[in-house]
Amino acid sequence: MLAASLKSSDQLSHFSQKYGNGLKVALQNLTAEKCDFLINLPQNLNIQNGTKSYLLSHGSPWDLDTYIYPDTSNSILQKFLSYKEDIFFLGHTHYPMELNIQNKRIINPGSVGQQRNRRPGAHWSIFDLATEKIDFKITPYKIDSL
């Protein structure tokens, strides 16, 4: 959306109407270099920690626009079993959750803005690499009109 908004004010308008003013604020505050950096980030990032491997993805590992929710069908969740990684950190849905499918863990820490679970506040998590414990947090904040 950032790349499309940079190319077209119509796209920026469309995204702003649908999702709010976050992109407008980003474009007002980010340099061209920082926008380029964000646009060119890899879709997936693999991290190895000892014997455990982690895959960080904005959407699902196989498709940026596939949404993974707590009620996602088992047939879709089965796709995680084809990956070598043990633990997956996802975003995109703005919905905090933890799922387990066989020996795989799927975690979404939530979202600082535009939460989808109808609980106000910044949703975030702390993951302890040593214990593999996830601690979901909600931090209240004042919502100002932008």
Side-chain angles (χ1 to χ4, degrees), residues 96 108-112 121-127 134-140:
N108 186 326
S111 176
V112 171
H123 294 246
W124 56 284
S125 301
I126 297 174
F127 183 78
I134 184 83
D135 189 11
F136 291 95
K137 305 281 190 179
I138 300 174
T139 302

Side-chain angles (χ1 to χ4, degrees), residues 47-92:
I47 298 173
Q48 189 72 34
N49 181 44
T51 61
K52 291 289 181 170
S53 59
Y54 307 87
L55 188 62
L56 287 66
S57 306
H58 181 79
S60 72
W62 58 88
D63 178 24
L64 178 65
D65 289 322
T66 296
Y67 291 75
I68 306 296
Y69 284 104
D71 62 351
T72 295
S73 72
N74 196 43
S75 62
I76 292 174
L77 294 177
Q78 291 287 319
K79 291 182 179 187
F80 285 94
L81 299 176
S82 68
Y83 287 83
K84 65 178 172 70
E85 289 81 11
D86 305 295
I87 300 174
F88 302 82
F89 290 95
L90 310 176
H92 203 41

